Structure formats: C-alpha cells, structure tokens
Amino acid sequence: MIEITMLFLGSVIGAGFATGAEIITFFGKIQLPTWWIAIIVGLTIYLVIVLQVLLNYQTNKPKKIKPINTCHNRIGDIFFALIYFVLFTAMTAGITSLMNVSMTAISLVISLLIVLFGFHRMSRFNTYIVFVIIVLITTTAMPYLLSQPTTTYIWQHIPANILSAFLYAGLNCFVFPELIKAAATHHKRRTLLNAGALTAIIITVLVGLILTTIKSTNTQNAPIPLLTAAPNFITVIVILLAILTSQYTTLFAINHRLENLLPKKKFRLIRIIGICTLAFFCSFFGFNTIIKFAYPIIGFFTCVFLLFSWLKK
C-alpha cells in the first residue's frame, strides 16, 4: 500500500504543488483559515481517487479477444495523451524557470530512463523520492507554523473553496487512470482505496504547511512562492525532486496511452524520445503561463469527465 500511496503522491506533488504556484492559483484569494482549506482539499482528493479507482480498476483479467480499435477510441487516446502532455510540459518548464536549460535536459533524460525501466521499478524508485520530499517540505514549513497568518472566516467563501478544491483534485488526479490500471495487476481494489485515503491525508498536511508558509511571509504574488518564502537550498531540492516525480509519472501516462496507437515495442524508445524532445521546446512558453491558463481547464474537464463516466456506468 505504501508503494501505491507514494506513486499517487508522486503524481500530485509536481512543479505547481512544490513551488506553491498551483495552490495559490486555486486557493490564494479564498478568505478561509489555511487548515480549513487544506481539509477540504484532502476530502475532495479522496473522493476523486475513489471515483477513479471504481471506474478504472478491473477485477478480472481480460479475455484474449482482439480489441476493436475504433475511431472513437483513437480520438480518446489522442485527447488524453495531449492533456497529459500539457502537464508534462509544465513539469519541464518548471525546471527551466528554477534552474536552467541544461538541468531541464538532464531531467528529461532521467525521466526517460525511469519509464523505460518499467512500472514496478519506477514505483520502487518513486517511493524513496517522495518520502524524502515529504520530510523536506515538513522541515522547511515547520518554523512558520508558529506564526499563523490572520484570516477572516467568511462562510460565503466555503462554496468557492469546495469548487476550487474539486478543480484542483481533478487536475492532480488526471493521470491516475493509467496508474490504477497498471497497479491493478498486482494489487487489490481495497489496497488502492486505502492508498487513496493515505494520499489524501498526506496531501492535506502538505497543502496546509505550504499555504501557511506562503501566507505567513506574504509571498502569494511571487513567481515561485515557496522558494521566495523560504529561500534556501532545501526548498530548491524539494522543488526539483517534486518536479521529477510528476515528470516521469506523467511521461509514463502519455506513453501508456500512445501504446494503444503504436503498440509495437520497437516504437517505444522512439516514441518516448519524441515526447521528451517536443516537451523540451514547448516548455519555453513559460511555467507560470501554463499553470495559470491550462491547469484550471484540465481540472474542470476531469471533474466533468468523471461525473459523466460515473453516470454512464
């Protein structure tokens, strides 16, 4: 269960999350106590994960029947791959804005190698990386817990918080179907649901810590809020590791979708190299631009898609 939890967290804790920019985009203007916001985020994250597991987990092994690759299925695979690609590009742009182009290229090569190693090796590697991230974020934010910012508790802001939380959960759980389908071969549904609950609890704590740190230092308007709030080497390491985890999990999701279109193994390396190269050039649109405009749209689409799929099922 721990390995799956860390895999879920690795997908959620990306460039936007670790820098604080994503959290501020969704919750920066909401006038509620920080930990109320965090709890609502955790609950919605758990609800979305439960829906994802119920919709995407397959208890029975599929029979050996040749799949019908209709035009509708192809369009769906292409569309999801494009959305995943936007997320992957954002992770890549995050490294460019934080470090330099050389580090971006290195991160892409690392992500490529991790995906080529396969799902289980990726999960094992990811477990250690995410554990380090959680420890470092907690260490960075702890000094700011003693200086809680004053907030105005306004009941009218709760609906806005819930709406933002669902959009936020939809965005961060967008690649979960690919992870759930891959994990279903070796894990029971109950294990995935328990991992989802633990993921939600950890996300609640991390969102609370990051929001408290940023609001305590009034760095909401900074390009990289958390780094501006806590400008030290540990914060840089946290952000880089967080970007890397979401980068390779998103690359795995893109490749998993495109395998339906190009199933032959001989295309795998070429396909992944092509994705990384294209993301490298697209990342020059800018990290903040991608987060500000693309992320809320993706979150909205995920919520609508989950609701539609649930009603249809």
Side-chain angles (χ1 to χ4, degrees), residues 2-18 22 49 91 122-123 125-131 133-134 172-173 175-176 179 195 199 202-203 206 238-251:
I2 297 298
E3 191 173 283
I4 299 300
T5 301
M6 294 303 186
L7 192 62
F8 286 166
L9 286 169
S11 177
V12 174
I13 302 174
F17 186 97
E22 180 183 285
I49 291 176
M91 303 305 118
M122 181 183 78
S123 300
F125 174 79
N126 179 79
T127 299
Y128 300 113
I129 296 297
V130 174
F131 178 77
I133 292 172
I134 293 171
N172 283 287
C173 298
V175 301
F176 276 30
L179 303 178
T199 298
I202 295 174
I203 290 297
L206 294 180
V238 166
I239 295 173
L240 287 176
L241 290 177
I243 292 173
L244 181 63
T245 59
S246 57
Q247 193 176 42
Y248 58 68
T249 52
T250 309
L251 180 59

Side-chain angles (χ1 to χ4, degrees), residues 77-78 80-93 104-105 107-109 111-113 115-116 246-262 267-284:
D77 288 331
I78 292 172
F80 275 93
L82 286 174
I83 298 296
Y84 295 155
F85 180 77
V86 172
L87 298 175
F88 182 61
T89 302
M91 303 305 118
T92 306
T104 302
S107 72
L108 288 170
V109 172
S111 296
L112 184 150
L113 293 174
V115 172
L116 288 176
S246 57
Q247 193 176 42
Y248 58 68
T249 52
T250 309
L251 180 59
F252 171 82
I254 299 171
N255 184 60
H256 194 262
R257 278 284 171 178
L258 292 182
E259 280 179 345
N260 296 329
L261 302 173
L262 296 170
F267 293 122
R268 188 185 184 196
L269 180 59
I270 297 173
R271 181 171 60 237
I272 296 177
I273 291 175
I275 294 167
C276 292
T277 303
L278 186 59
F280 177 78
F281 288 107
C282 290
S283 66
F284 291 107

Side-chain angles (χ1 to χ4, degrees), residues 4 8 24 32 40 92-93 111 134 158 164 171 181 184 196 210 212 229 260 274 282 301:
I4 299 300
F8 286 166
I24 293 301
L32 284 176
I40 293 174
T92 306
S111 296
I134 293 171
I158 290 181
S164 295
L171 166 69
K181 290 173 185 175
I210 292 173
T212 299
N260 296 329
C282 290
F301 169 78

Side-chain angles (χ1 to χ4, degrees), residues 60 67 72 75 80 83 112 127 150 161-162 166 209 221 234 249 251 264 267 275 289 313:
N60 298 320
H72 181 269
I75 293 173
F80 275 93
I83 298 296
L112 184 150
T127 299
T150 56
N161 192 173
I162 293 174
F166 271 107
L209 290 173
N221 297 322
I234 293 179
T249 52
L251 180 59
K264 294 184 179 179
F267 293 122
I275 294 167
T289 302
K313 188 175 180 180

